[in-house]
Amino acid sequence: EHDAIAVGLLHNAASQGLREAQFSLGKMYWEGRVVGRESSENDSVAFDLFNEAAKNDFVEALFYLGEMHWEGHVEGGLSIDNRMKATE
């Protein structure tokens, strides 16, 4: 019950670009506290939220993005060529 309330509040704050909310909500998805650990939606949503938090200079989100890549939870990911294009 408390998770459902937290998710609603965090969704609102994350949609306003608050990096702490983006990270916290991403972590809740990553831990399976939103949809259920077996849902494939978790990884995708968590990745997007961690990515947004990282873009907003939330350093800890970078760790989780790296962990997701390391553990193989990100399909395709970013190749070096795509990262180079993204920074141009």
Side-chain angles (χ1 to χ4, degrees):
E1 180 182 329
H2 291 105
D3 280 352
I5 294 169
V7 167
L9 294 171
L10 287 170
H11 266 292
N12 288 337
S15 68
Q16 295 175 26
L18 296 173
R19 64 189 189 174
E20 293 85 356
Q22 292 165 335
F23 174 76
S24 295
L25 186 58
K27 199 168 174 192
M28 289 183 80
Y29 272 97
W30 177 246
E31 294 169 350
R33 293 169 53 193
V34 179
V35 181
R37 187 64 193 132
E38 300 304 316
S39 173
S40 61
E41 178 185 351
N42 282 337
D43 290 346
S44 177
V45 175
F47 179 84
D48 290 343
L49 287 162
F50 290 147
N51 196 41
E52 286 303 310
K55 286 180 188 176
N56 288 321
D57 299 322
F58 198 84
V59 177
E60 195 171 352
L62 292 171
F63 172 81
Y64 279 85
L65 288 171
E67 186 173 331
M68 291 184 83
H69 280 285
W70 180 259
E71 293 181 5
H73 293 278
V74 179
E75 279 190 39
L78 286 176
S79 68
I80 291 172
D81 292 338
N82 287 340
R83 282 192 300 250
M84 296 296 276
K85 289 177 188 173
T87 59
E88 292 176 356

